[in-house]
């Protein structure tokens, strides 16, 4: 007895090597930033001469970051929840009904996928100036809802397509009113899609930068904006430390999402 | 179905949001034809001067540069993302598959600022690449990678990789494995099988990924701003400078508007040009 | 090139089947997926021109076996020969095998003609010859003139013809058919089966046909390999598989069979006597070899071999109660409860002429197995 996968080796080896190199490119910045974060010196150098945790301490203590973090949470909670509510309703309507201007409305709401973020930011900024409402939380939240809605819409719509319509028919044949069907059958079955849509929206909203830069003011400054302002003024590894925290938390969230929902399914990349 | 229960409840919030977006776009259009009043946030009367200014070589050049940057980024991203997507679809080991998936899409969730900052450390004169190359004695003085187009492209490729991987993987995973088996049984080796069957059938994913990468690159601001450092002008960095450095919002609006028109034009053009290619993958 | 006759691996011809060099030969081929053994030491010889069917329920390993022969899977043990050549380590694209897939796998981005030409192009055949052979193949499957259609413009039956033409045009050493009829509706299926069989015989191409449909297997094959749980249970002609099943699995999987509880009276190498109630029947001895007289055995009876007898007829019979009567068009199925002799209701099939509405449930009837093609196996616990 022998094992035979050898026969596919030459090309397979090239493929494995290629993918490894590419993944190396993808992960390089994260690795470099991690090394930097533990560098004791304020000036970047490789390899670091000595190591410390002081940049972590500083990044956690820095006022603008703390405030940005809380602002970001407020904006994210509002934006992703509003986007989920609006997106779910609209996805249901899209899936079930035909109504006038349906495709126009769909196109308009999906357009932020291709409209540059700075354009949306600038547009909302001018609009707020015209309406004299000024920059701040409401405007930032509005911008975020507009930007993350396409992702929620997509996630919920895919779940709806995978939902067996006969279940709803069965419920209404058993005497359930449309409202009862919606709340006892449709929505409970959509929960995985809703959760993943919300999560996706929350992560994107928390990280949104360009549009937020246009529509936020000092009081409503989110974490990415605070980080941008920091990197323009200082060159020490504080931001590297913060980035490491960011990367670790994000990777953890993604791993959890992968465990509980299967990322492949959320991103619609699984065949089965 | 003639009854449409809750239609109003389901749709009206979305209508309001769409109106908000439309109003913002209308505001840009409206500002773009107003005169700039220096030193004031108010705007003057109707004028087309903003659009004639756009035709100056400096701005035309910026537009052309931006398009080139987007095309380069999308092309390199496609080349790098394809093998990863292919591996994601082909690898059977569940743990390895999860690792590749998470490694390749985590950057998507890190935000532009963190990623751009990381690339500044990688590319800087005292950065990772230069330090490594110098300590190995390969170079004597640092390579200039910051503030160059190549540096910006490298970072932007990194930005658009995840979405490209996702779109290509979606496209590839919908190809029935039996097509490849059929090709193999008919005598096609791995390379021929890939070129004549897998690649053509994955074209819808390629087109979707390329268009999205193009649009995302056009939208990118922090990367060209920080890594380009003013040396690499794109539409996004110019809009920001005009708005927040000189408060010339009318001109910023006209630049944005032109950029929007250009984005849609390029995407439409790309769709048209790629239709015969995309048709290859129709199932 | 190593041939079997050279190595002396081929036994001297004892029957007509093994005189020729086998078109396909499997020597103890094993395949594992993780801890699960998908195929356990499969031994199989297929004669040139033969129509061999791999039959079994889903998950029995038939598709694994097909994929191993095609080269899509690597064996964990054993050797595979095609046309006398060792191919265990030959990649799929060098095995010269034609395959018709369950869903046909016609390249959606190519025309019918390009689909058929694909295998010829990979062989570097010149354009004129390709055109000629494609036309020939299209004529063979009665699709002349369909050259420029795309697969999606074809009906299911037409797609299958194209798939068949594509597989045959390369003049494969073996034709593999992976449940090719399962996507067709019933009427079309029957005519395609006839047509496929006709083409196969005309070309004389060695064919391995994978199916879970026993009717399909019994009607089309020259020999059937009955598989279950990764093992080949029996390799024999359709008649033999049905009439002389080698074990319990084959007996119950092929056709309908009811199980009666019996007691072994006596057993020799060739025959055994089994008592069921007042009856004693004769069955082949081999399956019961080694059992002591008095042992419990299960007697397998085909529905058409159970006959109704009149109460006043001579000879012993079993008493049964009619549980259910099902009209099947050409015949009637009676389900009978045989109190002490069978755990499950026993099926009796009588031709339609035999009065369809004679019985009501609860009626008492008398039955007797006709003493032909009965077979018994040691009683299975549980």
């Amino acid at each position: 007895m022998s094992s035979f996968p050898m026969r596919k080796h030459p090309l397979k080896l090239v493929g494995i090597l290629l993918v490894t190199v590419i993944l190396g490119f993808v992960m390089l910045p994260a690795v470099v930033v991690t090394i930097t974060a533990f560098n004791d010196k304020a000036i970047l150098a490789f390899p670091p001469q000595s190591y410390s945790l002081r940049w972590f301490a500083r990044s956690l203590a820095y006022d603008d970051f703390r405030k940005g973090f809380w602002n970001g949470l407020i904006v994210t909670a509002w934006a992703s929840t509003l986007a989920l509510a609006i997106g779910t309703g609209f996805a249901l309507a899209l899936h079930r009904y035909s109504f006038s201007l349906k495709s126009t409305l769909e196109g308009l709401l999906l357009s932020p996928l291709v409209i540059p973020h700075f354009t949306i930011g600038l547009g909302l900024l001018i609009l707020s100036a015209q309406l004299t409402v000024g920059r701040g939380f409401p405007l930032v939240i509005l911008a975020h809802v507009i930007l993350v809605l396409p992702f929620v819409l997509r996630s919920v719509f895919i779940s709806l397509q995978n939902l067996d319509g006969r279940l709803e028919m069965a419920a209404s044949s058993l005497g359930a009113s449309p409202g009862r069907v919606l709340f006892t059958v449709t929505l409970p079955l959509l929960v995985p899609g809703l959760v993943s849509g919300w999560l996706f929206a929350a992560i994107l909203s928390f990280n949104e930068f360009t549009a937020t830069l246009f529509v936020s003011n000092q009081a409503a400054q989110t974490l990415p904006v605070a980080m941008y302002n920091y990197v323009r003024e200082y060159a020490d590894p504080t931001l590297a430390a913060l980035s490491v925290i960011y990367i670790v938390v994000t990777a953890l969230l993604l791993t959890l999402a992968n465990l509980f929902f299967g990322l492949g399914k959320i991103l619609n990349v699984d065949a089965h | 179905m003639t009854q449409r229960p809750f239609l109003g409840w389901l749709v009206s919030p979305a209508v309001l949001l769409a109106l908000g977006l439309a109003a913002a776009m209308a505001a840009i259009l409206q500002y773009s034809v107003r005169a700039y009043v220096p030193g004031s946030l108010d705007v003057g009367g109707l004028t087309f001067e903003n659009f004639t200014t756009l035709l100056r070589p400096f701005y035309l050049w910026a537009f052309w540069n931006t398009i080139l940057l987007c095309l380069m980024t999308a092309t390199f991203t496609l080349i790098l993302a394809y093998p990863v997507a292919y591996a994601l679809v082909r690898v059977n080991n569940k743990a390895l598959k999860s690792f590749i998936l998470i490694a390749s899409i985590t950057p998507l969730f890190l935000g532009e600022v963190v990623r751009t900052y990381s690339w500044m450390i990688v590319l800087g004169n005292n950065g990772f690449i230069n330090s490594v190359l110098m300590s190995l004695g390969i170079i004597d003085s640092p390579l200039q990678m910051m503030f160059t187009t190549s540096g910006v492209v490298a970072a932007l490729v990194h930005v658009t990789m995840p979405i490209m991987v996702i779109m290509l993987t979606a496209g590839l995973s919908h190809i029935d494995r039996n097509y490849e088996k059929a090709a193999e049984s008919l005598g096609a080796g791995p390379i021929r099988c890939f070129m004549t069957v897998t690649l053509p059938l994955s074209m819808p994913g390629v087109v979707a990924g390329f268009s999205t990468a193009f649009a995302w690159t056009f939208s990118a601001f922090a990367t060209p701003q920080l890594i380009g450092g003013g040396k690499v002008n794109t539409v996004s960095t110019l809009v920001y400078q005009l708005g927040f450095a000189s408060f010339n919002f009318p001109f910023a609006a006209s630049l944005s508007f032109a950029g929007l028109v250009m984005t849609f034009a390029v995407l439409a053009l790309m769709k048209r040009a790629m239709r015969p290619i995309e048709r290859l993958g129709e199932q | 090139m190593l041939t079997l006759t050279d190595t002396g691996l081929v036994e001297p011809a004892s029957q007509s089947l093994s005189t020729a060099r086998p078109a396909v030969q499997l020597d103890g081929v094993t395949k594992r997926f993780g801890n699960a053994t998908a195929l356990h030491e499969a031994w199989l010889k297929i004669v040139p021109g033969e129509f061999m069917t791999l039959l079994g329920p889903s998950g029995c390993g038939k598709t694994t076996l097909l994929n191993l022969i095609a080269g899509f899977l690597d064996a964990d043990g054993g050797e595979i020969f095609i046309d006398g050549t060792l191919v265990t380590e030959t990649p799929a694209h060098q095995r010269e095998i034609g395959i018709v897939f369950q869903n046909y796998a016609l390249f959606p981005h190519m025309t019918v003609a390009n689909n058929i030409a694909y295998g010829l192009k990979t062989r570097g055949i010149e354009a004129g010859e390709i055109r000629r052979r494609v036309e020939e193949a299209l004529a063979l499957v009665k699709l002349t003139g369909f050259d420029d259609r795309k697969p999606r413009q074809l009906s299911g039956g037409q797609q299958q013809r194209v798939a068949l033409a594509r597989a045959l045009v390369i003049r494969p050493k073996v034709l593999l058919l992976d449940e090719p009829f399962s996507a067709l509706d019933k009427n079309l299926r029957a005519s395609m089966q006839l047509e496929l069989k006709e083409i196969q015989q005309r070309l004389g191409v060695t064919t391995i046909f994978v199916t879970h449909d026993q009717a399909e297997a019994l009607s089309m094959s020259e020999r059937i390999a009955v598989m279950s749980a990764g093992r080949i249970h029996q390799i024999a002609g359709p008649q033999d598989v049905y009439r002389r099943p080698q074990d319990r699995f084959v007996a119950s999987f092929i056709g309908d069979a009811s199980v009666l509880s019996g007691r072994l009276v006596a057993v020799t190498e060739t025959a055994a006597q089994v008592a069921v109630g007042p009856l004693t029947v004769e069955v082949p001895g081999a399956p019961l070899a080694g059992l002591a007289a008095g042992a419990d055995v299960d007697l397998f009876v085909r529905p058409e071999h159970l006959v109704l007898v009149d109460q006043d007829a001579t000879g012993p019979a079993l008493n049964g109660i009619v549980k259910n009567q099902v009209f099947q068009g050409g015949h009637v199925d009676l389900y009978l409860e045989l109190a002490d002799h069978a755990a499950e209701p026993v099926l009796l099939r009588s031709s339609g002429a035999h009065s369809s509405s004679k019985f009501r449930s609860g009626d008492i009837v008398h039955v007797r197995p006709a003493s032909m093609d009965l077979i018994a196996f040691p009683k299975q616990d549980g």
Side-chain angles (χ1 to χ4, degrees):
Chain A
M1 270 212 304
S2 54
S3 60
F4 307 112
M6 287 298 291
R7 71 169 200 235
K8 282 170 186 155
H9 256 191
L11 267 177
K12 230 181 176 174
L13 207 68
V14 172
I16 291 169
L17 226 85
L18 194 64
V19 172
T20 312
V21 169
I22 296 168
L23 286 182
F25 165 78
V26 173
M27 294 192 295
L28 175 73
V31 174
V32 169
V33 106
T34 308
I35 299 170
T36 309
F38 290 99
N39 187 0
D40 186 44
K41 299 270 165 54
I43 294 165
L44 301 177
F46 287 93
Q49 308 297 317
S50 52
Y51 296 88
S52 87
L53 290 174
R54 65 190 182 110
W55 304 113
F56 284 92
R58 184 172 146 76
S59 72
L60 292 175
Y62 190 70
D63 263 352
D64 274 13
F65 291 165
R66 295 175 79 104
K67 202 153 165 287
F69 175 77
W70 290 114
N71 286 344
L73 278 191
I74 294 169
V75 169
T76 296
W78 275 101
S80 50
T81 308
L82 281 174
L84 183 70
I86 298 171
T88 307
F90 189 62
L92 277 167
L94 267 187
H95 184 68
R96 289 197 183 156
Y97 309 136
S98 57
F99 45 91
S100 46
L101 294 178
K102 177 173 166 171
S103 55
T104 312
L105 201 54
E106 188 189 352
L108 200 55
L109 289 171
L110 288 178
S111 65
L113 284 177
V114 285
I115 299 180
H117 284 201
F118 63 84
T119 307
I120 289 173
L122 182 69
L124 286 172
L125 176 63
I126 295 175
L127 187 66
S128 74
Q130 287 176 327
L131 302 174
T132 62
V133 289
R135 302 195 268 173
F137 278 113
L139 199 60
V140 176
I141 291 169
L142 175 63
H144 281 217
V145 173
I146 288 174
L147 288 171
V148 301
L149 189 77
F151 295 93
V152 178
L153 212 50
R154 184 180 140 95
S155 172
V156 178
F157 196 74
I158 290 171
S159 310
L160 271 171
Q161 279 180 323
N162 294 334
L163 188 87
D164 186 350
R166 284 169 301 188
L167 295 172
E168 291 171 339
M169 291 182 204
S172 55
S173 78
L174 293 168
S177 64
R180 203 181 179 87
V181 174
L182 182 66
F183 284 101
T184 58
V185 178
T186 317
L187 287 178
L189 288 171
L190 285 181
V191 161
L194 299 182
V195 172
S196 61
W198 185 87
L199 198 67
F200 212 75
I203 295 176
L204 288 176
S205 161
F206 194 76
N207 285 306
E208 210 295 324
F209 165 65
T210 313
T212 315
L213 185 66
F214 280 82
V215 293
S216 65
N217 53 8
Q218 188 61 33
Q221 177 175 292
T222 63
L223 190 55
V225 177
M227 290 168 82
Y228 175 77
N229 289 334
Y230 190 91
V231 78
R232 282 166 61 100
E233 286 183 40
Y234 308 99
D236 65 42
T238 308
L239 204 54
L242 189 59
S243 299
V244 171
I245 299 173
Y246 229 99
I247 293 167
V248 169
V249 170
T250 307
L252 271 179
L253 279 178
L254 286 180
T255 310
L256 281 180
N258 193 26
L259 277 180
F260 287 119
F261 309 113
L263 269 182
K265 245 177 265 154
I266 299 176
L267 301 170
N268 199 25
V269 296
D270 269 359
H272 319 291
Chain B
M1 206 189 277
T2 47
Q3 288 173 329
R4 295 177 298 185
F6 312 121
L7 180 63
W9 284 101
L10 295 177
V11 175
S12 32
V15 171
L16 280 178
L17 195 70
L19 284 178
L21 176 61
M25 294 302 109
I28 286 189
L29 185 56
Q30 200 221 338
Y31 254 51
S32 67
V33 289
R34 302 294 284 273
Y36 167 49
V37 183
S40 161
L41 285 177
D42 291 326
V43 288
L46 269 180
T47 174
F48 282 101
E49 202 189 319
N50 295 321
F51 286 103
T52 49
T53 314
L54 275 182
L55 295 175
R56 282 189 202 153
F58 176 78
Y59 293 107
L60 286 181
W61 187 241
F63 262 93
W64 175 239
N65 251 340
T66 309
I67 294 178
L68 273 186
L69 198 73
C70 295
L71 287 178
M72 275 197 289
T73 305
T75 307
F76 285 124
T77 309
L78 177 64
I79 293 169
L80 290 185
Y82 205 107
V84 176
Y86 193 81
L88 261 180
V89 177
R90 285 294 171 265
V91 166
N92 286 323
N93 183 317
K94 248 190 151 163
L96 184 59
K97 195 176 182 141
S98 296
F99 170 75
I100 299 177
L101 186 64
I102 288 175
S104 55
I105 70 166
T106 300
L108 179 64
F109 302 101
L110 288 181
E112 235 189 315
V113 180
V114 171
R115 278 188 285 180
T116 305
Y117 173 74
S118 312
W119 276 100
M120 291 168 72
I121 305 179
V122 173
L123 300 173
N125 282 355
N126 298 320
F128 175 75
I129 294 179
N130 277 319
S131 305
V132 169
L133 290 181
M134 282 180 19
S135 67
L136 289 176
I138 295 172
I139 50 171
D140 299 326
S141 56
L143 292 173
Q144 184 63 42
M145 285 175 288
M146 282 293 286
F147 318 131
T148 65
T149 305
S150 336
V152 174
V153 170
L156 283 174
V157 166
H158 191 251
V159 170
T160 49
M161 268 287 278
I163 194 71
M164 183 76 91
V165 169
I166 290 172
M167 293 193 155
L168 290 178
T169 309
L172 279 169
S173 66
H174 289 116
I175 301 176
D176 190 334
R177 270 310 282 274
N178 280 348
Y179 292 135
E180 291 173 5
K181 285 187 177 178
E184 261 189 84
S185 76
L186 293 168
I191 294 172
R192 189 185 191 105
C193 178
F194 177 79
M195 296 305 290
T196 58
V197 175
T198 317
L199 186 60
L201 289 177
S202 68
M203 273 303 159
V206 170
V207 173
F210 194 89
S211 310
T212 309
F214 186 94
W216 280 34
T217 311
F218 193 85
S219 175
F221 165 69
T223 311
Q225 175 79 3
L226 291 174
I227 294 184
K231 297 263 171 52
V232 182
N233 283 317
T234 65
V235 175
S236 62
T237 61
L238 287 177
V239 166
Y240 182 76
Q241 282 154 25
L242 285 167
F244 288 88
S246 41
F247 299 104
N248 187 348
F249 283 105
F251 189 55
S254 67
L255 201 56
S256 291
F257 181 72
L260 198 59
V261 170
M262 200 206 68
T263 310
F264 280 109
V266 170
L267 288 180
L269 209 73
M270 227 183 284
K271 206 171 174 188
R272 222 188 136 77
M274 289 193 183
R275 203 173 297 150
I277 305 171
E278 195 170 9
R279 201 172 289 148
L280 285 177
E282 277 175 17
Q283 301 196 17
Chain C
M1 191 156 104
L2 186 73
T3 60
L4 285 171
T5 36
D6 293 340
T7 60
L9 276 173
V10 176
E11 304 152 38
S14 56
Q15 20 173 322
S16 64
L17 281 184
S18 57
T19 45
R21 181 170 68 188
V24 177
Q25 177 171 342
L26 306 181
D27 285 353
V29 174
T30 296
K31 178 68 193 172
R32 278 181 289 270
F33 294 111
N35 290 328
T37 303
L39 191 67
H40 186 88
E41 286 197 29
W43 298 79
L44 188 62
K45 268 184 206 170
I46 300 170
V47 184
E50 189 178 13
F51 194 111
M52 162 72 85
T53 296
L54 306 180
L55 173 67
S58 62
C60 71
K62 57 188 193 293
T63 303
T64 302
L65 186 50
L66 187 92
N67 281 325
L68 284 163
I69 296 171
F72 299 136
L73 290 176
D74 294 332
D76 292 315
E79 304 288 9
I80 301 169
F81 299 86
I82 291 174
D83 199 16
T85 312
L86 179 70
V87 297
T88 317
E89 294 186 53
T90 309
H93 67 278
Q94 290 164 5
R95 289 198 186 184
E96 298 185 58
I97 281 177
I99 305 180
V100 176
F101 292 88
Q102 190 168 8
N103 58 0
Y104 317 132
L106 295 178
F107 304 127
H109 56 305
M110 297 180 197
T111 60
V112 165
N114 282 333
N115 260 285
I116 298 175
Y118 191 90
L120 300 174
K121 287 181 185 164
T122 64
R123 284 162 172 75
I125 291 167
E126 57 95 17
E129 168 76 0
I130 290 182
R131 216 172 307 123
R132 199 184 59 72
R133 278 170 71 174
V134 167
E135 285 314 310
E136 204 179 275
L138 277 171
L140 180 75
V141 296
K142 298 176 190 154
L143 282 178
T144 305
F146 281 69
D147 309 53
D148 295 329
R149 303 273 187 101
K150 283 288 185 70
R152 66 172 175 279
Q153 297 170 311
L154 303 178
S155 70
Q158 290 168 335
Q159 288 184 25
Q160 186 178 53
R161 287 157 195 262
V162 175
L164 185 62
R166 183 177 71 176
L168 287 173
V169 79
I170 60 171
R171 294 173 190 159
K173 290 178 174 165
V174 186
L175 177 65
L176 302 182
L177 306 168
D178 184 9
E179 309 230 6
F181 302 116
S182 59
L184 299 179
D185 66 57
K186 208 180 158 200
N187 294 328
L188 189 55
R189 194 181 300 182
S191 70
M192 281 307 298
Q193 283 167 1
L194 279 176
E195 198 175 325
L196 173 73
K197 186 77 209 219
E198 196 264 321
I199 290 174
Q200 188 264 336
Q201 277 173 343
R202 180 140 47 104
L203 300 180
V205 58
T206 311
T207 302
I208 301 178
F209 176 61
V210 164
T211 184
H212 65 270
D213 182 335
Q214 48 166 304
E216 225 168 66
L218 291 171
S219 67
M220 297 184 73
S221 331
E222 279 155 61
R223 283 195 301 158
I224 300 173
V226 186
M227 298 182 65
S228 148
R231 285 166 200 274
I232 298 179
H233 285 247
Q234 184 172 11
I235 305 173
Q239 295 258 352
D240 288 341
V241 164
Y242 185 76
R243 297 174 58 193
R244 280 182 284 280
Q246 197 140 351
D247 59 23
R248 298 181 67 100
F249 172 76
V250 179
S252 50
F253 184 72
I254 309 280
D256 294 314
S258 304
V259 181
L260 302 183
S261 311
R263 188 173 298 275
L264 186 61
V265 176
V267 59
T268 66
E269 247 176 58
T270 53
Q273 278 76 45
V274 169
V276 180
L279 298 167
T280 302
V281 295
E282 190 164 295
V283 296
L288 302 173
L291 240 52
D296 287 331
V297 299
D298 285 338
L299 182 70
F300 282 71
V301 186
R302 299 288 182 200
E304 65 273 21
H305 294 152
L306 206 57
V307 290
L308 289 165
V309 291
D310 295 330
Q311 190 164 16
D312 43 352
T314 53
L318 302 173
N319 294 340
I321 302 167
V322 176
K323 290 297 289 180
N324 213 343
Q325 174 177 249
V326 184
F327 178 61
Q328 297 280 22
H331 60 265
V332 174
D333 283 345
L334 278 182
Y335 290 89
L336 311 173
E337 202 162 77
L338 297 187
D340 298 327
H341 310 301
E344 304 282 326
V346 162
L347 177 59
L348 181 150
R349 188 161 291 158
S350 64
S351 66
H354 204 288
S355 63
S356 55
S357 55
K358 197 164 117 188
F359 304 103
R360 258 177 264 150
S361 47
D363 283 358
I364 293 179
V365 293
H366 310 283
V367 296
R368 186 157 62 199
S371 40
M372 53 189 294
D373 296 340
L374 296 172
I375 193 152
F377 298 101
K379 188 175 177 68
Q380 214 170 39
D381 295 326

